[in-house]
C-alpha cells in the first residue's frame, strides 16, 4: 500500500553531515497536532458550552439534549474504522486536511439550526468527519518521534482535549451572552476551516520534509534509515478482525471505553451539571469549569513525562506505559465523591482530581503506538478509538435518561465510578505485556 503524499525528495538533494546539529522539526509538527486537537475538542464541546441557553431557546428537554450529544459519538464510532483506513491510504497530510475542513463546516452549520433535527444532522456529520483526526495524530507521532519520546509527544497532542475548554470557554460564554449562542458555532467552525489550509500547506512526513536533516531522521528512526524498513503490505479489510483477535488490543479497547466515559461527561453534561445540579451562576461556572480541565492537562503531561523518563532510566516500555493507565483509571472512580460533599469548592476539587486521573489514563494512546503493526497504525488507532468513543454514545444517553427520570445526577455519577473500576481491571489483568504486534 502506498501513501498518497508528495514524492520523496529528488536525487541530488544535498546530504547533511552526520556531525551537523540535529534539526527539531518534529516539535513544530507536534505543535500543529496540538492546535488541531484543540480545535477538534472545542468544536465538539461547543454544544455543551451553550447547552443551557440553546436548549431553552429551542425548547429541548434532557433526553433530546442527551440524544444530540450521543449523535456525535454514534457517527464517530461508526466512521472510525473507515477514518483510520483513510489515514493509512492518504497519509496524515491529506486525511487531516479533509477532516479539518469537513468537521469545521459541520460545526458552523449548527449556528443555523432552528430545531432538534437540524442540530441532529450537524452533529452526525461532525462525528463522521472528525474520525481521521486521532489516527492521523498517532500516525504522525509514530513517524516523527523515536520510542523514547513518544510518550511525551502523545501527551502533548492529547493535552489538546483538555486545554481548549479552560482557554476558550470563558470567551465562548461571553460571545454567547453578547451575540447569541449561534455565533459560537460560526466562530469555532470558521477557525477550523482556516487551519485546515495551513495544515495542508505545511505538513509533510519526515522523509519528505525539506527542513529535516539526516541527523534528525536518524534520531527519529533509531539509526535505521526509512528505506531499510519492511515494505508496507497491501491493505486488507480482514486485518481489522485479525487485530481484534489480539489480547492487547481488546484490553486497550475496554480500558479506553471506561476511561473515556469521564471525558465525555466533562465535554457534554458538565456545564449543565454545574448550572442545574450545583446551582452555580454563569460567572462562577466561567471560573470553576476551567479547574478540572487544567487538572486533566497536568495529568496527561505528567504521565507522558514520567513514562518517558522511566524508559530512559531502564524501566521496560511495557511497565512504563501500563502504570499510568492503571493508576489513572482507578483514581478516576473518585468522581463518585461529589455525591457526598455540599460545598461547591469541594465539588470542583473532587472533579479536578477525577479529571486529572482521566488525563493520566489517556496515556493509552502511547500504548497503542507501541503495539500497533507499523503498516496498520491508522487502522489500529481507529479500532481502539472506536471502542473509546462508544462512550460518546452511551454516556450522554445514560446521563440524559437518568437525570430525566430521577431529576438529579446521583446515580449517573455512581455508574461512571463503577465503569472506571472495570477499566482498571482491564488494564491490570487483561492487558498483559505490551509489545509490537508482528503480523504473519
Amino acid at each position: 500500500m502506498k501513501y498518497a503524499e508528495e514524492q520523496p525528495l529528488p536525487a541530488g538533494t544535498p546530504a547533511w553531515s552526520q556531525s551537523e546539529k540535529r534539526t527539531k522539526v518534529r516539535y513544530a509538527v507536534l505543535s500543529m497536532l496540538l492546535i488541531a486537537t484543540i480545535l477538534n475538542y472545542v468544536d465538539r464541546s461547543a454544544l455543551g458550552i451553550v447547552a443551557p441557553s440553546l436548549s431553552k431557546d429551542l425548547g429541548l428537554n434532557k433526553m433530546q439534549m442527551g440524544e444530540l450529544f450521543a449523535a456525535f459519538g454514534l457517527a464517530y464510532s461508526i466512521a472510525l474504522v473507515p477514518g483510520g483506513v483513510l489515514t493509512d491510504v492518504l497519509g496524515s497530510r491529506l486525511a487531516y486536511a479533509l477532516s479539518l475542513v469537513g468537521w469545521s463546516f459541520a460545526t458552523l452549520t449548527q449556528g443555523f439550526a432552528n430545531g432538534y433535527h437540524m442540530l441532529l444532522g450537524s452533529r452526525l456529520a461532525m462525528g463522521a468527519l472528525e474520525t481521521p483526526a486521532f489516527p492521523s495524530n498517532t500516525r504522525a507521532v509514530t513517524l516523527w518521534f523515536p520510542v523514547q519520546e513518544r510518550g511525551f509527544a502523545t501527551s502533548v497532542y492529547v493535552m489538546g482535549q483538555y486545554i481548549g475548554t479552560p482557554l476558550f470557554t470563558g470567551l465562548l460564554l461571553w460571545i454567547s451572552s453578547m451575540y447569541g449562542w449561534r455565533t459560537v458555532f460560526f466562530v469555532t467552525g470558521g477557525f477550523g476551516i482556516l487551519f485546515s489550509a495551513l495544515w495542508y500547506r505545511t505538513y509533510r512526513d519526515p522523509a519528505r520534509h525539506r527542513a529535516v536533516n539526516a541527523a534528525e531522521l536518524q534520531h527519529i528512526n533509531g539509526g535505521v534509515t526509512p528505506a531499510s524498513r519492511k515494505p508496507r503490505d497491501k491493505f486488507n479489510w480482514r486485518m481489522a478482525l485479525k487485530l481484534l483477535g489480539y489480547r492487547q488490543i481488546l484490553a486497550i479497547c475496554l480500558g479506553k471505553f471506561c476511561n473515556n466515559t469521564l471525558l465525555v461527561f466533562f465535554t457534554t453534561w458538565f456545564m449543565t451539571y454545574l448550572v442545574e445540579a450545583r446551582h452555580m451562576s454563569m460567572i462562577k461556572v466561567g471560573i470553576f469549569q476551567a479547574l478540572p480541565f487544567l487538572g486533566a492537562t497536568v495529568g496527561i503531561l505528567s504521565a507522558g513525562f514520567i513514562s518517558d523518563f522511566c524508559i530512559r532510566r531502564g524501566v521496560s516500555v511495557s511497565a512504563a506505559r501500563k502504570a499510568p493507565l492503571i493508576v489513572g483509571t482507578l483514581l478516576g472512580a473518585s468522581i463518585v465523591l461529589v455525591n457526598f460533599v455540599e460545598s461547591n469548592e469541594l465539588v470542583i476539587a473532587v472533579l479536578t482530581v477525577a479529571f486529572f486521573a482521566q488525563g493520566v489514563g489517556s496515556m493509552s494512546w502511547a500504548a497503542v503506538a507501541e503495539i500497533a503493526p507499523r503498516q496498520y497504525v491508522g487502522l489500529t488507532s481507529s479500532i481502539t478509538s472506536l471502542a473509546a468513543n462508544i462512550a460518546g454514545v452511551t454516556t450522554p444517553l445514560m446521563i440524559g435518561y437518568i437525570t430525566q427520570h430521577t431529576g438529579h445526577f446521583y446515580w449517573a455519577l455512581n455508574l461512571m465510578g463503577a465503569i472506571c473500576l472495570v477499566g482498571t481491571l482491564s488494564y491490570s489483568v487483561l492487558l498483559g505485556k505490551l509489545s509490537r504486534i508482528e503480523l504473519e
Side-chain angles (χ1 to χ4, degrees), residues 243-380:
L243 288 171
L244 283 172
Y246 287 89
R247 170 180 171 178
Q248 295 180 96
I249 291 179
L250 286 175
I252 289 178
C253 283
L254 178 57
K256 283 176 76 70
F257 165 80
C258 296
N259 182 263
N260 211 47
T261 296
L262 292 186
L263 175 61
V264 175
F265 165 72
F266 280 98
T267 56
T268 56
W269 284 105
F270 178 51
M271 299 291 285
T272 303
Y273 172 76
L274 295 183
V275 172
E276 297 186 4
R278 305 308 307 189
H279 308 294
M280 293 188 189
S281 66
M282 293 307 294
I283 294 176
K284 282 190 175 181
V285 168
I287 298 172
F288 284 154
Q289 59 78 30
L291 296 178
F293 285 90
L294 292 175
T297 303
V298 173
I300 185 60
L301 287 177
S302 301
F305 176 82
I306 294 172
S307 180
D308 283 351
F309 176 80
C310 290
I311 291 174
R312 290 194 293 269
R313 290 291 179 173
V315 177
S316 71
V317 172
S318 179
R321 297 298 191 227
K322 280 182 61 177
L325 311 187
I326 297 170
V327 173
T329 309
L330 177 62
L331 187 58
S334 64
I335 194 171
V336 302
L337 296 178
V338 299
N339 288 327
F340 306 99
V341 295
E342 295 295 332
S343 164
N344 283 336
E345 289 75 12
L346 283 178
V347 166
I348 293 299
V350 171
L351 291 174
T352 300
V353 170
F355 210 13
F356 165 85
Q358 196 280 329
V360 172
S362 291
M363 271 296 295
S364 54
W365 282 110
V368 173
E370 303 298 349
I371 69 171
R374 285 194 177 273
Q375 65 270 44
Y376 291 110
V377 173
L379 179 61
T380 307

Side-chain angles (χ1 to χ4, degrees), residues 7 85 87 218 315:
Q7 295 299 314
V85 173
T87 300
Q218 194 169 39
V315 177

Side-chain angles (χ1 to χ4, degrees), residues 66 69-77 264 388-398:
F69 289 135
F72 173 92
L74 177 63
Y76 193 90
S77 299
V264 175
N389 283 280
I390 292 174
V393 181
T394 58
T395 305
L397 290 177
M398 171 192 77

